[in-house]
Amino acid sequence: MKWIRTVRALRAALDPLRSRGIGFVPTMGALHRGHTALFDLARRECGVVVASIFVNPKQFNDPSDLAAYPRTEAEDGELAAAHGVDVLFVPPPDEVYPSGFATQVTVGGVALGYEGAFRPGHFDGVATVCVKLFGMVQPARAYFGQKDAQQVAVIRQVVRDLNLPLDIRVGPTVRDDDGLALSSRNVRLSADERRRALAIPRALAAGLRAFREGRDPAAAAREVLAAAGLEFEYADVADFAGEPTLVVAVRAGATRLIDNVPLRDPQAAGLQV
Ligand code: PAF
């Protein structure tokens, strides 16, 4: 696996390989099995696999969240290599946002509400960095996790609206044995917070059962979260490109966790119901 830190070196490495089909997995590092499942999927589907690690300052509306974001570059490199990544692109901030950088992608539609409402500017930051990374890597396919369902919907909208020449592929949510969706933020949970956070997959499962029985999925989910004493920012059924998706955002202590289940495609959420 090649480590690359500049756009010039990335282009030089990838230009001769383009005809093999480049699969790209953008990440912010602190890699876990959710990421490695995307590397594996890209490995099966593409001739060349590129991953990036870049903790994108533009998508953090809370400076303390950015400062606390885990950074584990050496371990990340080992995991990426073990899962078939050919090129690991790890640019420093000024390679992505050099001095004088003054462009931003602003997304409406599906970016409004939910994460868009609770994290102002977040999706503009995600869209801006993804458009830049797509321009740098020029992949045929880019891979994202279902865990960030609204992010997937936003990226699809950007790709469609800007006629970007790549396919977006989505890997199912990966969960720990206790049902908690894997997230780089889980390491910040105390044992007690983690135990309480297990109400999240239970709430999604209750919502899914309600949907199947013709009851209100959001009300069923809220009931489970409230009974566990979990403070939630939202627990609602979102419409992501016609797909009804039960989405929740919860605070466990200082840590904010999101999760979801597409009600007509629950396997994508990795839930055992
Ligand atoms: O999902 C993430 O890790 C980030 O939002 C992404 C897509 C790598 C953009 O910074």
Side-chain angles (χ1 to χ4, degrees), residues 35-108:
H35 298 107
T36 58
L38 296 179
F39 299 156
D40 295 342
L41 181 59
R43 185 69 282 165
R44 288 197 294 279
E45 295 187 348
C46 304
V48 178
V49 178
V50 179
S52 62
I53 297 177
F54 179 63
V55 183
N56 174 33
K58 290 197 184 294
Q59 70 187 75
F60 286 82
N61 53 315
D62 173 357
S64 63
D65 191 25
L66 172 61
Y69 204 83
R71 286 162 171 84
T72 54
E73 199 178 286
E75 295 91 326
D76 289 350
E78 280 169 25
L79 268 181
H83 286 266
V85 172
D86 299 303
V87 171
L88 187 59
F89 180 48
V90 191
D94 60 358
E95 186 69 9
V96 179
Y97 301 118
S99 102
F101 179 83
T103 300
Q104 172 164 288
V105 180
T106 299
V107 193

Side-chain angles (χ1 to χ4, degrees), residues 26-28 35 52 54 56 59 69 122 125-126 129-130 133 144 148 151 155:
T27 82
M28 298 205 298
H35 298 107
S52 62
F54 179 63
N56 174 33
Q59 70 187 75
Y69 204 83
H122 169 66
V126 169
V129 83
C130 284
L133 289 167
F144 293 85
D148 296 303
Q151 170 170 276
I155 297 296

